Amino acid sequence: MFRVLGTLTIIFILTSLCFANTGGYVEGTLLVRFSTDVTPAISKDGTAHVGITSVDEVLSRNESCSFNRMMGVYRPQDETLRATFRNDYRFQFPVGSDMEAIAEEMRLTGEVEWACPDYLIPVDYEPNDPQIYMQWFQETLETAAAWDLTMGDENILFIGIDSGTDWNHPDLADKIWVNPGEDIDNDPRPFGDIFPDMPGTEGDWDNLDNDDNGLIDDFIGWDWVQNVNGAPGEDNTQEDNNPMDFHGHGTGVAGAFGATADNATFGCGVAPNCKIMANRTGYCTPQNNGLIVMSAATSQMVYATDMVLRDGYIGVVNMSFGGNTPFPPLRSAVEQAYNAGLLLFGAAGNDGVGTQHYPAAYPQVVAVGATTSGDDRASFSNWGTWVDVSAPGEQCYTAWFDDHYEPWDGTSVASPIAAGVGALVISMFPEEDNSFWRNVVINSTDPITTDHPLGSGRVNAYNAVTQYYWPNLSIESIELSNPDGNYHPDPGETIDVFVSIENTSGWQNATDVVISIEFDREELILENGSITIAEVDAGSQANNSADPLSFRVPDTGIDGVFTTMLVTVTASPHEFITTEEVRVLIGTPEIMFVDDDGGVQLESFYFEDFQTLNMPYNHIDRHNLDYLPTLTETSGYDLVIWFTGNEENPLSETEISLLEDIMDQGDICLFLSGESIDEQLDGTDFYREYLHAEHVEGNGMVILDAFDNAGGPIEEGSRLVLTGPGGASNCNNPDLIQPVGGAVAAYHYYSGEDQVGGLFFDGPTYDLVYFAFPFEATSGAQESTTRSQFIQSLLTYIGTDVEESSTEPTLPSTISLDAPYPNPFNSTTTVSFNLPEPSEVSVTVYNIQGQRVATLLQGVTDAGPQQVQWFADDCASGVYFVRLTAAEQTLTRKVMLLR
């Protein structure tokens, strides 16, 4: 029949459906499965009987007044289902009868497989914060990356055994399954325009059982609730064809699983391309409590299994309810559903205990516990070795009853989220069976922090759809041969390239592995651009040390420039590919950059300046490489920028000797800065005769102004500010110095012209700029001179043609993510990316186990080139992945942290 729907305001937010043996049952109803075929009838005395003496005695003594099949008029069309449930009956007794006692009497006859009251499963409420609106669980599950491969499939049918479904909800209506056996006009719409509150379209309404299953006009599912007292506005006395949800719980479950994507509404489910069957097995009491009727839940399970088998769907069932005692009718239905190939999920329960919770604890069901946004066990979640997996279960925002959305807690929402991951797995491997799908969901999880057993871990959608599909090859290292010992290729050299790769344990074995290189400069000549490795098993490593890749730098035509080397690894099965970009310096550029900060990673601020100026440079990392160039190597450079950061006693005797030789040789400009150089070198001949400086007692400030008419590279009126977000914020004790030996005072601290902080020397053989403070602290705040502006003026002074990049760069056509630099790094690295238009951007860092360890950026970001830094002081050495998500695209780069 049709029902005109009422409305019901839900005040609280449902956390889970929790069954307990004391939760009550439908008054006067006994469910029985007989061991043999019976034909119940009504005796002359008005009581039910079945023709078995011991059973009839129980029925007569307790005044059983009526009976019907447990599933009512519904007739399973599948022969196995029909045979399994043919002797399941519902007997009615006077209201007030002790149904537990009658059930025990019936069991003692020995003529039944089971007998039990028709239990009601109460719903627990917990209020929640209505301002929480973000679907944080989607990012945690990495669904965006999984959706690049699959968003589910319309051949996958979700069956939520629950309080019903708000089937005309704007985020669910397009996904509601329509029964093809009742869809007379072949218009697969769940409702029409004339009466949008009634299932079916106008062309379907004929009041007939068109598919011969005993149910009239079951267009979108069925309302199985009968013979119970519910809230006003709900018809709980008779089954009908309108499975509308008056409570909200069932709608939330359906929304978490598969709410529509790309429809300009709030959010979407984990598997938005799947179909949803709108059945109802529960109701809302006048006290606003939700209850599940167990006979209805059993009937729905059989109906769903029947429809899946009839129409060739793949079924995914969710059961977000339960208790600590098995319920025989539902257990039988669960077994039949699993045997028919359905994938089953159940909530582990919200009591915070280790007791088994049914139906989740049935061996055919994936039992799902709940985790927090920090990947801890939610305090309410049940636990134990019987739990299979966990999923987000706190403050998860989903569709809710009456066309709106709510955040809610519980294993009740965790279970359909995990079921959504299961549906994505099915869509990737449709030819496999439910045993395979189940194992993939369980074995592709991320590790969590838990005080009690909570399954294999927290489900991960991306892992689930890829781990059994692809190998997971990662490029662990890329090394270039070093024929002349200066750590970069030079004209005339042939360079070997060695690549080490690893295939993550638990993924697919990689076959036909090919490693290749290519460059963005056509002048470079590939000698051996591609090699093949037969196989890399999961959990193993491989390299090409026996067969190096190689390229040659021609004698002329390319010198002093950066080139990008793209390393590509491809493999079978399924055309796996991963790439890594490496920036390679070819020859001798104009700038030698000596990084002597002790490994603190302050060099990233200079890298920003070089990128702004579009100037190549040779980076000499004194800490990581322990390499010092020879005098011959330095002679080819116009400018040596040497910085020591905040290192105490930063310059070794060998370094001082090299600096003396560089300046004695001449024809070069040295720019030296650091906070402790003055303290270390005060009173030495090198300080007076080469750096042309003497120590002055006291300390300076964080603002310096240029002396008037200083000349050289010092621009008139320029100001340096050593604090602010644009700099390194490492200026703690800037020193005072006095220029000697012909040097000129270049900058004085804001406190007075007698407090000199920087000098310039225009000598007969070399030029010198020396700052007794860390230059990288220069921020450009308050419209002061930036680092790149000062370096530009220095390059211009020594005759190098350079122009700072335009403040309005040409926008790219696509989103790009550069390889982090430096890489490997010690504690800080810079992540650069480019946007063609303003976008909502997320830049996050994950470890090799897939756990998020840092969020570097979250929010709307302007178009053009952008940079963020990762300060990894709290992270251990190892491989990490930087992930950029913007404009529905996700890009990833690998970076290695070395301590």
Side-chain angles (χ1 to χ4, degrees), residues 179-190:
N179 181 0
E182 295 287 348
D183 187 19
I184 300 173
D185 59 7
N186 292 316
D187 176 13
R189 298 177 61 199

Side-chain angles (χ1 to χ4, degrees), residues 828-885:
T828 305
T829 190
T830 298
V831 178
S832 301
F833 60 94
N834 227 335
L835 301 175
E837 59 185 9
S839 303
E840 178 73 27
V841 171
S842 171
V843 181
T844 50
V845 182
Y846 293 82
N847 62 21
I848 199 167
Q849 285 81 34
Q851 298 168 306
R852 187 171 67 251
V853 299
T855 298
L856 308 183
L857 178 63
Q858 185 72 54
V860 177
T861 304
D862 292 337
Q866 305 291 340
Q867 288 185 332
V868 291
Q869 287 187 294
W870 179 28
F871 298 94
D873 298 318
D874 298 330
C875 295
S877 296
V879 174
Y880 294 86
F881 299 91
V882 177
R883 174 164 295 163
L884 166 70
T885 301

Side-chain angles (χ1 to χ4, degrees), residues 623-657:
H623 177 77
N624 287 327
L625 294 180
D626 194 24
Y627 162 71
L628 192 64
T630 66
L631 180 61
T632 301
E633 291 169 357
T634 63
S635 63
Y637 295 87
D638 296 332
L639 173 64
V640 174
I641 299 178
W642 194 310
F643 86 105
T644 64
N646 303 95
E647 280 288 281
E648 296 182 5
N649 300 315
L651 296 173
S652 67
E653 292 184 6
T654 304
E655 290 173 329
I656 291 173
S657 177

Side-chain angles (χ1 to χ4, degrees), residues 557-569:
I558 180 170
D559 189 25
V561 297
F562 281 125
T563 183
T564 297
M565 180 175 68
L566 178 66
V567 180
T568 301
V569 179

Side-chain angles (χ1 to χ4, degrees), residues 31-337:
L31 306 178
V32 181
R33 173 174 289 179
F34 291 98
S35 302
T36 58
D37 292 342
V38 297
T39 305
I42 299 297
S43 302
K44 292 181 179 180
D45 63 359
T47 61
H49 72 277
V50 299
I52 300 174
T53 302
S54 58
V55 171
D56 291 345
E57 182 181 342
V58 174
L59 294 174
S60 176
R61 184 174 62 254
N62 291 287
E63 301 179 357
S64 173
C65 55
S66 65
F67 67 90
N68 63 352
R69 292 188 180 275
M70 190 181 74
M71 296 180 189
V73 297
Y74 171 61
R75 296 187 300 272
Q77 295 174 310
D78 179 77
E79 292 184 3
T80 300
L81 294 176
R82 193 179 307 125
T84 301
F85 297 96
R86 70 182 185 278
N87 288 316
D88 293 1
Y89 287 90
R90 177 189 288 110
F91 290 89
Q92 296 302 129
F93 295 83
V95 172
S97 299
D98 186 342
M99 301 314 302
E100 296 277 9
I102 297 174
E104 181 61 21
E105 286 187 53
M106 190 66 74
R107 288 192 290 267
L108 290 174
T109 66
E111 300 292 342
V112 301
E113 291 188 22
W114 45 256
C116 60
D118 196 355
Y119 285 113
L120 298 174
I121 303 177
V123 177
D124 288 341
Y125 291 89
E126 287 184 19
N128 211 324
D129 183 359
Q131 300 303 315
I132 297 173
Y133 61 94
M134 295 185 65
Q135 289 185 300
W136 63 268
F137 62 88
Q138 300 283 22
E139 180 180 354
T140 298
L141 267 61
E142 299 188 88
T143 50
W147 290 339
D148 288 340
L149 299 170
T150 179
M151 298 181 77
D153 189 274
E154 289 194 349
N155 194 48
I156 299 170
L157 183 59
F158 175 71
I159 303 103
I161 299 182
D162 223 290
S163 61
T165 307
D166 186 354
W167 45 263
N168 56 15
H169 192 293
D171 233 3
L172 296 175
D174 289 342
K175 297 301 168 187
I176 298 300
W177 167 82
V178 174
N179 181 0
E182 295 287 348
D183 187 19
I184 300 173
D185 59 7
N186 292 316
D187 176 13
R189 298 177 61 199
F191 57 91
D193 298 326
I194 297 178
F195 297 106
D197 289 342
M198 299 173 66
T201 56
E202 292 80 0
D204 298 327
W205 299 340
D206 62 359
N207 201 34
L208 297 175
D209 177 16
N210 292 290
D211 57 358
D212 196 32
N213 65 358
L215 306 179
I216 296 175
D217 292 340
D218 53 325
F219 301 121
I220 60 174
W222 198 251
D223 174 1
W224 301 93
V225 178
Q226 60 175 315
N227 298 328
V228 295
N229 296 318
E234 291 196 72
D235 177 10
N236 292 340
T237 60
Q238 187 173 350
E239 301 176 22
D240 58 44
N241 75 334
N242 194 337
M244 176 56 69
D245 177 20
F246 284 85
H247 189 278
H249 186 271
T251 302
V253 163
F257 173 87
T260 307
D262 299 325
N263 64 341
T265 58
F266 166 75
C268 66
V270 175
N273 281 4
C274 299
K275 287 294 185 180
I276 296 171
M277 178 181 283
N279 287 278
R280 175 173 177 257
T281 63
Y283 64 99
C284 187
T285 70
Q287 295 75 35
N288 201 34
N289 297 321
L291 295 176
I292 293 292
V293 184
M294 291 305 288
S295 63
T298 303
S299 298
Q300 180 184 332
M301 179 74 81
V302 177
Y303 176 84
T305 305
D306 203 19
M307 295 298 101
V308 164
L309 292 172
R310 186 192 73 179
D311 298 327
Y313 285 99
I314 300 176
V316 178
V317 177
N318 183 78
M319 296 169 284
S320 287
F321 58 88
N324 57 14
T325 303
F327 183 71
L330 184 61
R331 178 176 59 195
S332 179
V334 164
E335 291 170 350
Q336 290 300 318

